[in-house]
Amino acid sequence: MLGESLRKTLGPATAKVMAENLDLHTVGDLLHHYPRRYEERGQLTRLADLPLDEHVTVVAQVADSRVLKFNAGRGQRLEITITDGSGRLQLVFFGRGIHKPHKDLPPGSRAMFAGKVSMFNRKLQLAHPTYERLDADTGEGAVSAFAGKLIPIYPACKGLESWKIAKAVDAVLPQAQEALDPLPPALREGRGFVPLPEALLKIHRPQTKADIEDARQRLKWDEAFVLQVALARRRYADTQLPAVARKPVPDGLLDAFDARLPFTLTEGQQKVSAEIFGDLATEHPMHRLLQGEVGSGKTMVALRAMLAVVDAGGQAAMLAPTEVLAQQHHRSIVEMMGDLAEGGMLGGAEKATKVVLLTGSMGAAARRQALLDLVTGEAGIVIGTHALIEDKVQFHDLGLVVVDEQHRFGVEQRDALRGKGKQPPHLLVMTATPIPRTVAMTVFGDLETSVLDQLPAGRSPIATHVVPAADKPHFLARAWERVREEVEGGHQAYVVCPRIGDDQDEPRKKSAEDEAEKRPPLAVMDVAEQLTAGPLKGLRVEVLHGRMPPDDKDDVMRRFAAGDVDVLVATTVIEVGVNVPNATAMVIMDADRFGVSQLHQLRGRVGRGSAPGLCLVVTEMPEASPARARLGAVAATLDGFELSRIDLEQRREGDVLGQAQSGVRSSLRVLAVIDDEEVIAAAREEAVAVVTADPELKGLPELRTALDALLDKDREQYLDKG
């Protein structure tokens, strides 16, 4: 059976490497470890496209080989150059290990090479790769294994090259015949898919490119469909759960709050609020994902939902990922509400309520008071970190949970908070990371989605420019002049660095090669020192990073917000939620070390007032590098959804899903979230139809089995928490 342990089939040694490095434990796991790509005998991997720091397998021809002496003749190394028509790659062997490859790999010979791609003297290289010759004089077995036209190249790891995985797959491939087909027969026939055993055979040992295509189409559907069925069942189960309907009361707290708003809500805010109020009024728990660009006014929408729930006699809790953020939300909500946040009793005549903060570092007395206000119901709104989830925290009647920045928040934590209500509370998840529709359907498929896509009035555009510090050093000098100009104009600026650099940073193993190639990322401490002594001399420069004591962090932020600091040199602590309308400029150092969405988040910190924002992304990467292309994309558009697509195309989906799907094993294998938009949408429709007709899937035992494999019981729970 496919559930059989690999130890039995492959022996303990190989099974151990597979389990530890590739998370493959059973025959079924290995059958679903698909080739990453296929080489044709006559064709070669593009050496030009090798990824740094990854284990790769390449098929190439030896161009030349030479033995070099170093260390006054005491040491020797073998350098072999291999080529494939698209590029060249250096192989290097040291010491006693050089004789065999020197003999095995004369110029003109061909082989598969496997190893980890590193960089030396600005050239890509493989040090001590393992290799397997591909020509007539290798043993009969090897020749027949590679005589097949298409050579599957598997995602490999140290100690387990692609060709060893291929041999292991050969050993288990006969068992593919026993694979249970999760697709309902009507769906499979209706869409003309090959049966699952055939698809597995074709993906591992294709005879033609058409075989690969057939297999991939079929396996994509399996992944999309099983995942969408799991999500559809979750949504179905949620519609069966009870919740208290929370309808806003006329002339209550919400109306009093709206009456004193100094501006009108944007159309988007009104539309999304209406969706949320509609959900709150039903007797099933709301599960809604609110996506909005940085600064699109999500907090305002969430606050109005919280006020409506308080009007209806319930309490609302807002969960933030960090203390700094919780304090900031608390401060801004209290400011927005004014005396409406100073209530005596819930529903008191003055319509006010209490807004309390609950974090881990609060003093005992303040904490006791906050807990008391929650249990009596005196506090209608509580804002806190995961401290809210501790057993000691009891609510009077929890009606709504708002979670800020979903992807930083563990699933278990949301679940624990849900358990605090007498009945499941309504749930609103907010994220400022725009998520393309398909990812939302895949990762947050059990949440309804609302999108805020216009910026509130009074927000200014942000201009972004790439500063190539290595090619054009005078651009960097000009960047610091621009910062001075902004400060002279009465504004403030951020300088963001990837690292803190107070010597507590992890010690880096420095090799000569490392020194030459990769200097460590710029650090806040060093940059602040250089700026105060040099280009920003005379300005008030302060630092902010995650390892400072919370009080110091608060103090710096308070002074920056008050205008007593001109330039804040910080790590990405400022990425979420820092709101200083007077800050108009941001310089991001070593910008190539940040992801696209992170750069977009950071940039959202400027231009929050009436003056236009300026963001300068500084990099030393050469013009043709992918990193520069990424920065160019960020500079070219302010549309977060567009950027999130670019980001996805550049990273593999795994990372995106990895953040959100810590529990789901299916981290997708052949389904590409961006490219397979149609498949996902179609699979979702089919899944809804199947679940509506047969919620328990009684008539589809194979689909049930596939679901159980995707979600062990705890994983089913996991999705529950999405």
Side-chain angles (χ1 to χ4, degrees), residues 254-284:
L254 179 61
D255 286 353
F257 175 77
D258 282 349
R260 45 170 79 191
L261 274 183
F263 49 83
T264 51
L265 299 175
T266 64
E267 262 170 74
Q269 285 175 317
Q270 290 172 2
K271 182 179 112 250
V272 171
S273 290
E275 291 170 348
I276 292 172
F277 289 150
D279 286 356
L280 289 173
T282 61
E283 302 195 339
H284 307 298

Side-chain angles (χ1 to χ4, degrees), residues 18 27 155 170 182 234 305 353 443 495 509 556 567 708:
M18 287 198 166
V27 170
D170 283 335
R234 279 268 53 87
T353 184
V443 183
V495 177
K509 294 195 288 295
V556 171
V567 179
D708 294 340

Side-chain angles (χ1 to χ4, degrees), residues 605-669:
R605 301 290 126 224
V606 294
R608 299 177 77 89
S610 48
L614 172 69
C615 177
L616 302 172
V617 291
V618 180
T619 177
E620 293 188 356
M621 284 302 188
E623 194 149 1
S625 61
R628 275 284 279 279
R630 210 169 58 220
L631 298 177
V634 174
T637 175
L638 288 172
D639 177 346
F641 285 92
E642 180 52 33
L643 287 174
S644 69
R645 276 189 90 97
I646 294 169
D647 199 16
L648 255 186
E649 281 158 7
Q650 291 194 326
R651 299 188 301 166
R652 292 196 299 289
E653 276 78 20
D655 313 351
V656 182
L657 299 177
Q659 291 184 328
Q661 284 197 304
S662 55
V664 177
R665 180 195 289 149
S666 92
S667 109
L668 303 180
R669 297 186 178 95

Side-chain angles (χ1 to χ4, degrees), residues 238-239 241-246 272-290 301-302 305-306 309 399-402 418 424-429 446-448 450 722:
D238 286 339
T239 61
L241 279 177
V244 181
R246 311 278 178 177
V272 171
S273 290
E275 291 170 348
I276 292 172
F277 289 150
D279 286 356
L280 289 173
T282 61
E283 302 195 339
H284 307 298
M286 159 170 86
H287 287 127
R288 195 168 274 285
L289 174 69
L290 173 55
V301 170
M306 288 164 46
V309 167
L400 168 67
V401 177
V402 179
R418 256 185 171 171
H426 298 283
L427 174 69
L428 179 65
V429 174
D446 51 345
L447 299 171
E448 299 297 324
S450 297

